[in-house]
Structures are given as C-alpha cells and as structure tokens.
Amino acid sequence: MLSAELYPPERLVAAQRATAAVGLDALLVTPGSDLRYLTGYDAHPLERLTCLVLPARGEPTLIVPTLERPAAEVATHDLRIVDHRDGQDPYPLVVEALDGPASVVALSDRMWAAHVLGLRAALPGAEQRLAGEILDELRMRKSPAEVEALRAAGAAIDAVHARMGRWLRPGRTERQVGADIAEAILDAGHATVDFVIVASGPNGASPHHATADRVIRAGEPVVVDIGGTMPSGYCSDSTRTYVVGAPPPDAVAYYAVLHAAQRAAVEAVRPGVTCAQVDAAARDVITEAGFGDAFLHRTGHGIGLDGHEEPYIVAGNDRPLEPGMAFSIEPGIYLAGRHGARIEDIVVCVDGGADVLNTTPTELAEL
C-alpha cells in the first residue's frame, strides 16, 4: 500500500481547517501516532525535540534534531523541515515557525512533560490545550485505505490464532506459549508485538493478565488476546478462548451467553446507533443471564494507529456511530478464582451495519 494513500498530504490541510474552526492558533505535535497520522513520519520520541508546528494559517514546519533530518526528509517529502544541533535550544524554533503571536495552542495528548514545559517557557502567554479535541475527530473516521490496512492487520492476527493448536498444550506454561505466539505475530507480517495475553484457568478471570509460569492444564479455559502493529502503522487486536480437551460444563454454559452477547453487539452496529447502545446490546444479554457483575469492562475501543483510541464503546457515550469508525467488540465474563472468557473482533461501521475484520470462528475452541 502506497504511503500517499495511507498518509495523504491533504490531512495537514484538514487539520489546519479544524484548528482554525475551534479558535486555536496552532497544533504542536510531537512523535507518536498523531504525528504519523498527519505526516507519515514514524519518529522516535526522544529528549531531543521533534515537533510539527501546524499553524491554523500558514506553512507547516517540522522541527527535528539534525541527526534525524535524513529520516524525516524521506518520510515527509515536501514538508518544510528545520533542524537543530545538540546543545541548541530548539524551543525558539517553534516560536519562529508560528510566524506570529499565538494565544492558544494545542499540544499532543501524549507529549513528554519536558517538552510541554519547554514550550510553555517559550510561549509564556499561550494557553495550552489538548490536540486530541482536533485530531481525535479526524482520526475516528477511517479512509478506505485505512480500513484496508486494518483488514490486513486482522488477517495477520487471524493467521496466528489459526495456529494456536501447535502451542497450546497441557504441561506447557503460559509464558512458553506466549513466546511462541510473539514469534508467530512477527512471522505473520507484523512489525512489532504489542501484547500477548495467555490467561489459563483462574488467570482467565483477570482481563489484563499477561503471561506467567503457571502450567496449563487439560480441560480449563485459556483466554488468548494478542495484537501487534503492521508496517503500515495500523494495529491488530483479537481475542479467542480455547480449551485443551473437554471444557467444564459451567464454562460451556456461560460461554454460550458470551457468544450470544458478542453477536448481539456486532449486529447492533450501524450508522446512527450510539456507542452506548452497542455496549448495552452485549451487556443486556450477559446481565439477563445473571453474569452482569462478571462483565468488568467496556464492550470495545477504537483502533487504528493506536491500539486504543476513539470511539469507545461504553455506557454513557452517546456519540452516534458513523461509516468508517473502526472498533473492537469484546465482551467478557470473568469468574474470580475459577476461569473466564472473552471474544474480540474488530469491526468497521458501514452503511449496511458492521464489516467484521476478523474471520476466525468465535465458538469456544476445543484443541
């Protein structure tokens, strides 16, 4: 996929218009997913300042350390670049790039505190706000190229789940299985491994358990939640629940509830339905079956250049879904001291409902 398709230069213009529309003078964007979204540049976060200065009106400027200039030039093509050498104070370069007074600027939500304070000192009269109020709105609606990047990520992580029977066996530890999965995530085409959860038996009741030295036993559920970042920059995330051998009857019973809940939430997705309504579609099924207190988290989160981003599929979020919004549907049931289960697919809201990007079966997988 061409970089220009995923990271079109028109995004800078759209961000400038949105910045002006809310009365901001500029966006100041340091390394992270926002910078990559706007420029295609996957910069390293360093103590040396890298900062995109995007005035509401005027020419954008990318300020980079001299050491990083060659990489920035390759990634950004026609963007104006100003570099600074070690020992030089880079923050006055931001002021110069603004080319005029600034009373309100927005900073990357995850900017290092050292840079926040450096910019505050360089612009003492400027109010600082979060760039997320601008960029979250732009990033939330995926372009066709972004959807295809997420689809490729979904296929890559599905390929890992399809091989789970090779690694998930009684007598092996969660950590051993996790190491095999991590290697397979890279083999499947990801650039990085972002997380590997292998939660067996009672560990499955902890939604964010990672891996441990616990030995996996026959007949117990194992929650496997895995994801990584593709070379495109877009993320995968998928959860399936497995049993090595025959599952316990109580797990079969509540898994049937969970499966119905996940399917109900997927079927609820369509333009105009709120995030809270999709959450309720899953939660109501689980609550009516008596497991409401065992569903410990929201139903889903947005995904794109970050593994977690807007929109969040959670009670109280009355944002209506729109075509192009991509997010997880991942209800879970967690029984403390016993076991747990979760099913997670990535979906994209489309005019006809939900385009499901993960294709591996969602039934309880008996290996």
Side-chain angles (χ1 to χ4, degrees), residues 328-353:
S328 66
I329 299 291
E330 52 175 308
I333 294 176
Y334 310 96
L335 304 180
R338 294 162 60 190
H339 32 64
R342 182 163 64 255
I343 306 168
E344 178 183 17
D345 288 319
I346 302 302
V347 306
V348 179
C349 181
V350 297
D351 287 334

Side-chain angles (χ1 to χ4, degrees), residues 12 16 25 53-61 97-99:
L12 289 171
Q16 284 183 299
D25 295 310
V53 181
L54 189 64
R57 297 170 183 84
E59 184 181 12
T61 301
L98 289 170
D99 196 25

